Amino acid sequence: VAQLQTLTKVYRQQTSAIEVQALRGVDLTFRRGEYIAICGASGSGKSTLLNILGCLDRPTSGQYLLGGADVSLKNDDELSDIRSEFLGFVFQSFNLIPQLTVQENVEVPLFYRNEPAEERARMAKIMLEMVGLSDRGHHRPNELSGGQMQRVAIARALVNDPLLILADEPTGNLDTRTGEMILDVFDRLNKQEQRTIIMVTHEPDVAARCSRTIHLRDGLILSDDPNPPY
Amino acid sequence: VAQLQTLTKVYRQQTSAIEVQALRGVDLTFRRGEYIAICGASGSGKSTLLNILGCLDRPTSGQYLLGGADVSLKNDDELSDIRSEFLGFVFQSFNLIPQLTVQENVEVPLFYRNEPAEERARMAKIMLEMVGLSDRGHHRPNELSGGQMQRVAIARALVNDPLLILADEPTGNLDTRTGEMILDVFDRLNKQEQRTIIMVTHEPDVAARCSRTIHLRDGLILSDDPNPPY
Ligand SMILES: Nc1ncnc2c1ncn2[C@@H]1O[C@H](COP(=O)(O)OP(=O)(O)OP(=O)(O)O)[C@@H](O)[C@H]1O
Ligand SMILES: Nc1ncnc2c1ncn2[C@@H]1O[C@H](COP(=O)(O)OP(=O)(O)OP(=O)(O)O)[C@@H](O)[C@H]1O
Ligand SMILES: [Mg+2]
Ligand SMILES: [Mg+2]
C-alpha cells in the first residue's frame, strides 16, 4: 500500500531563476496487487511521479507514505535499502552501466543483498532467458540494439523479485511482438504473484492490460479510472 | 537516389571472438522524395542499416552509392561534409550534448556551414517552435523529459534543411498527440518539399503514413512493398 498526499515537485534550474512545476499537487493511493497505467502528454510529469514513487527523488512538498512509513523521514541509505529490497525500476533511458557486461548489469541489484556469486549468476541468467537475451550475457551495453538494452533494463528490474515494479515506457523501443512478450511477463507477475505494477506508457494497447489508468496533465491528475476487463 | 548492393555488416566483439552478423546481404534502392518505413523485430538490424545509410558507419562488404558516388571511397572528413550538407539524423538514443543548452544543441549542424551566430539562433528557434519547445531553449538536456529530449533531437536533425532525413524511432518516447504533431511535420517536408524520409518504427500506425514499408528480419530484407494510400 502506498499513498501520496498533495505531492508537489518543483525543479529549480541552477543557472537561472526559472522554475518548472513538474507536479502541482498529486493525491494518489494504491494497494498491493494493483496494475496501474500512467498516461499523459510529453512533459506532463509521468517520469517525475515514477521517480518519487521509486524513492529515487524527493518531493518538494506533500507526503509519501510507503507501507505506512513516511518516506521523507528516511535518509539516503535507508532509501537505498528500500529500493534494493522491494522495488524494481525500469528507466526511460535504461541507465545501464557501460563498463559491466549484460549479465553483470542484471546482477547489480543482487549485490546489495549479499547473494553468493553463483546464486547471482543463476538468477541473472533466468531473467535474461525471460526477456529473450540469454545469448547476450557477455556483451557490453554499447554492443546492443536499443530494444535489447531496454530488455536488459527490464531483466535487472525483476531480478530481485520486487514487490513493486515501476516501469517507465518499458516497451517504447520494442517491436509489437517483443513488447507483447514483455507485457505477458508483467501480466504473469501481477496475476500469479500479486506484484504491484505501475507502468508509464503512451500506447493505449499497453494501458489496456492494466486494471486502472491514471491520466496526468501538466503535473496534475486529470483522471483516475478502473479499466474495463481486458 | 541511393543504392545499397549486397550490403553486409558484421560486428566483431573486441573482448571475444564472437561475431554478430547484423546485416547479411541487403539490396535496396530509393529515389528522391520517397517516404519509407523500416520495420522489424528488436535486433533485426534497423539501426545498423540506418547508420550506414547516414554515413555514420561503414559496411563490412558490399557497396553504398549515394547520389551515384561510392561512399566507401570517401574519407571521414568527406563523409562528415556529406552529413552536414545533406543529412538529418534522429538517433534512437537522441545523443544530445549534455554541456550545451537545448538551443545550442539544435544549432550544432549549422556550425559546420559557417552560418553567422544570429542566423544559427534564428533557424534553431524556428525548429524549436516547430516541435513545441520554444520555451526550453536555455535548459540543458538533463533538465528535460524523455519526449522533450527526443523532440530536441528532431529539431537538430531538421535545422540544416536536409535532403535526406533518417529517423530512428522518432516517436518512441512521445505520446500519441505529440507524435502526430511530429509526423505532420515529416509529412509536410515530404509532400511539399520532396525531402526523402526513411523512418525506423515499430508502430504500424506510424508506418502507415509512409509510401513504402520495408521489413527487416535477422539482417535480411523480408519484404519491400508500396503502402496503400493513407
Ligand atoms: N557495436 C556492436 N557490437 C556488436 N553487436 C552489435 C553492435 N551494435 C549492434 N549490434 C548487434 O547487431 C544487431 C542489430 O542491431 P540493431 O541496433 O541494428 O537492431 P535494431 O533492429 O535497431 O533493434 P531495436 O529495434 O532493438 O533497436 C543486434 O543483434 C545487436 O545486438
Ligand atoms: N532536472 C530537471 N530540471 C528541470 N526541469 C525538469 C527536470 N526534469 C524534468 N523536468 C521538467 O519537468 C516536467 C516533467 O518532466 P517528466 O520527465 O516527468 O515528463 P514526462 O511526462 O515523463 O514526459 P515524457 O513523456 O516526455 O517522458 C517537464 O516539463 C520537464 O522538462
Ligand atoms: Mg518521461
Ligand atoms: Mg534500433
Side-chain angles (χ1 to χ4, degrees):
Chain A
V1 180
Q3 203 172 4
L4 297 171
Q5 293 171 334
T6 329
L7 214 79
T8 73
K9 179 66 188 180
V10 180
Y11 291 109
R12 257 176 222 92
Q13 225 187 344
Q14 295 150 337
T15 46
S16 72
I18 300 174
E19 251 182 32
V20 176
Q21 293 198 0
L23 296 175
R24 296 165 191 263
V26 167
D27 296 302
L28 188 59
T29 301
F30 57 90
R31 292 171 180 71
R32 173 92 193 267
E34 290 204 69
Y35 195 177
I36 300 171
I38 298 179
C39 306
S42 173
S44 55
K46 305 180 296 293
S47 298
T48 302
L49 178 57
L50 218 68
N51 288 341
I52 288 171
L53 286 171
C55 302
L56 292 160
D57 197 8
R58 293 177 186 274
T60 304
S61 67
Q63 215 177 28
Y64 177 24
L65 304 169
L66 184 61
D70 189 340
V71 162
S72 57
L73 302 175
K74 310 237 175 250
N75 63 39
D76 284 354
D77 283 344
E78 289 169 307
L79 288 187
S80 182
D81 286 344
I82 289 174
R83 287 196 301 270
S84 59
E85 190 70 24
F86 298 116
L87 300 178
F89 206 110
V90 186
F91 291 86
Q92 191 171 6
S93 52
F94 322 148
N95 294 15
L96 301 181
I97 301 174
Q99 297 83 357
L100 300 185
T101 64
V102 160
Q103 182 174 315
E104 288 166 347
N105 263 285
V106 176
E107 291 178 12
V108 162
L110 299 174
F111 279 105
Y112 295 111
R113 289 168 46 158
N114 298 318
E115 299 279 354
E118 310 84 37
E119 185 60 12
R120 282 204 309 267
R122 189 186 71 84
M123 290 166 80
K125 284 174 186 167
I126 292 172
M127 289 303 132
L128 285 175
E129 175 98 24
M130 201 160 70
V131 300
L133 288 175
S134 33
D135 61 338
R136 291 300 172 126
H138 300 293
H139 280 71
R140 294 253 147 66
N142 67 353
E143 295 166 326
L144 299 181
S145 74
Q148 289 167 340
M149 286 195 270
Q150 189 157 37
R151 284 184 273 157
V152 175
I154 291 164
R156 177 181 63 184
L158 300 179
V159 74
N160 60 337
D161 266 344
L163 292 177
L164 175 59
I165 297 162
L166 300 159
D168 202 339
E169 311 268 5
T171 60
N173 277 281
L174 301 176
D175 59 285
T176 313
R177 199 145 150 241
T178 313
E180 303 247 315
M181 169 173 104
I182 293 298
L183 294 173
D184 288 346
V185 169
F186 284 10
D187 285 3
R188 180 165 55 75
L189 288 168
N190 177 255
K191 291 174 177 47
Q192 292 179 18
E193 300 181 29
Q194 283 78 50
R195 306 303 166 94
T196 310
I197 300 184
I198 302 180
M199 195 158 62
V200 169
T201 179
H202 66 256
E203 294 182 51
D205 302 356
V206 175
R209 292 196 182 217
C210 298
S211 57
R212 174 181 168 193
T213 298
I214 295 168
H215 281 276
L216 270 191
R217 183 167 160 184
D218 294 331
L220 288 169
I221 292 187
L222 187 71
S223 68
D224 183 352
D225 300 307
N227 283 358
Y230 188 50
Chain B
V1 182
Q3 203 173 5
L4 298 171
Q5 293 170 336
T6 330
L7 213 79
T8 74
K9 179 68 189 178
V10 181
Y11 291 109
R12 256 175 221 92
Q13 227 190 339
Q14 295 149 337
T15 46
S16 73
I18 300 174
E19 249 182 34
V20 176
Q21 293 198 358
L23 296 174
R24 296 164 189 264
V26 167
D27 296 302
L28 189 58
T29 303
F30 56 89
R31 293 174 180 68
R32 172 92 193 268
E34 288 203 72
Y35 195 177
I36 300 171
I38 298 180
C39 306
S42 173
S44 55
K46 306 181 294 293
S47 297
T48 302
L49 177 58
L50 217 68
N51 287 341
I52 289 172
L53 286 170
C55 302
L56 292 160
D57 196 7
R58 292 175 187 276
T60 304
S61 67
Q63 216 180 27
Y64 177 24
L65 304 169
L66 184 61
D70 188 340
V71 163
S72 57
L73 302 177
K74 310 239 174 249
N75 63 39
D76 284 355
D77 283 342
E78 288 169 308
L79 286 188
S80 182
D81 288 343
I82 289 173
R83 287 197 301 270
S84 62
E85 190 70 24
F86 299 115
L87 299 178
F89 205 109
V90 186
F91 291 85
Q92 190 169 7
S93 54
F94 321 148
N95 295 14
L96 300 181
I97 301 172
Q99 298 84 355
L100 299 185
T101 65
V102 161
Q103 182 175 317
E104 288 166 346
N105 263 285
V106 177
E107 292 179 10
V108 163
L110 300 175
F111 279 105
Y112 296 112
R113 290 168 46 160
N114 298 320
E115 298 278 355
E118 309 87 35
E119 185 61 11
R120 281 202 312 266
R122 188 186 73 82
M123 291 166 82
K125 284 175 187 167
I126 292 173
M127 289 304 133
L128 284 174
E129 175 98 25
M130 203 159 70
V131 300
L133 289 174
S134 34
D135 60 338
R136 291 300 171 125
H138 301 293
H139 280 72
R140 292 254 147 66
N142 67 355
E143 294 166 326
L144 300 182
S145 74
Q148 288 167 340
M149 286 195 271
Q150 188 157 38
R151 284 184 272 158
V152 175
I154 291 164
R156 178 181 62 184
L158 301 179
V159 75
N160 61 337
D161 266 343
L163 291 178
L164 174 59
I165 297 163
L166 299 159
D168 202 338
E169 311 268 5
T171 60
N173 276 283
L174 300 177
D175 60 287
T176 314
R177 200 149 150 237
T178 313
E180 304 245 314
M181 169 173 103
I182 294 298
L183 294 173
D184 288 345
V185 169
F186 283 11
D187 284 1
R188 180 166 55 76
L189 289 169
N190 177 254
K191 292 176 178 46
Q192 291 179 16
E193 299 181 29
Q194 283 78 49
R195 305 304 167 95
T196 311
I197 301 184
I198 303 179
M199 194 157 65
V200 168
T201 178
H202 67 257
E203 294 183 50
D205 303 354
V206 175
R209 293 196 183 218
C210 299
S211 56
R212 175 179 167 196
T213 298
I214 296 169
H215 280 276
L216 270 192
R217 182 170 164 182
D218 293 330
L220 287 169
I221 291 185
L222 185 71
S223 67
D224 182 352
D225 301 305
N227 284 356
Y230 187 50

